[in-house]
Amino acid sequence: MLLLAALGTDTRIWDGVAARLAGGTALLRIEHPGHGGAPTEDARSVAQLAARVLRTLDDAGIASAHVAGVSLGAAVALALAADHPGRVRSLTLAHTALRFGDPALWDRRIETARRDGLAPLVEGTLARWLTPGEATADPGRADGLRAMFIATDREAYARCCEAVRDFDGEALPARVRAPTLLVAGDADLATPPAQMLALQQALPRAQLLRLPGAHLGLLAAPGAVAGALQALIDEGDHLWTTT
């Protein structure tokens, strides 16, 4: 299983889910450029990020994988599944959209990151990632996410923001063949449930899991996500071996 993270995070956001998957599931974690200690690269589009993931699979000799992503990582996963359907056994898209909001908002975020670094953006970002109740109930989670965000390279973050700003995934779902799990947060203001429902309607073989969380709602319900994801893995492997 290939794991991809959200903008400003690293693949540790999948730890709670990964720990609950069947023991035989091998995990490959690919960090976005400048995230989670990965080198900064000049990747400024979702297509370039997906090509980078494909090269990593090729270099590792991996012919096919179950692919799971969050937010930006889910957009990259969707592009990979659409353009290279023979490489994706199943697809999990958490807290994402076919378009990510007002480009002007992203322009302001990019300008701030390049001029002032990520510190001015951290609290607003955390408010989108976690509900107030989640942040209060588990201060350690908020502190860990804050540190994760601040550790991200500012230029890499800005370039990934460019990728999010310019992403238009409207044509991608029709080319996806893999069974798909969508994970939505009922309190997600960044990628609201209505966007996830639209994505479900656009994907030919998608099921939707709704959680009572915000943009990183999978952190609060790793058991529910792992259960749905394990069923999807089993379905994808069955289809892969019988077609």
Side-chain angles (χ1 to χ4, degrees), residues 170-192:
E170 297 289 344
L172 298 180
R175 306 204 303 271
V176 173
R177 297 293 175 263
T180 303
L181 170 66
L182 304 177
V183 180
D186 282 342
D188 188 349
L189 300 179
T191 55

Side-chain angles (χ1 to χ4, degrees), residues 46-109:
V46 167
Q48 290 175 327
L49 292 169
R52 175 177 172 271
V53 169
L54 186 64
R55 287 195 300 272
T56 303
L57 292 176
D58 289 343
D59 291 345
I62 298 173
S64 64
H66 301 278
V67 182
V70 183
S71 194
L72 169 59
V76 174
L78 177 61
L80 183 69
D83 292 339
H84 303 278
R87 308 298 296 269
V88 179
R89 291 176 175 245
S90 73
L91 182 63
T92 298
L93 307 176
H95 310 294
T96 195
L98 297 175
R99 293 178 185 268
F100 287 95
D102 183 0
L105 179 152
W106 291 104
D107 287 339
R108 291 193 294 272
R109 200 172 297 179

Side-chain angles (χ1 to χ4, degrees), residues 12 122 142-152:
R12 286 177 292 173
V122 65
D143 290 343
L145 289 170
R146 184 179 290 106
M148 196 181 292
F149 183 78
I150 291 296
T152 304

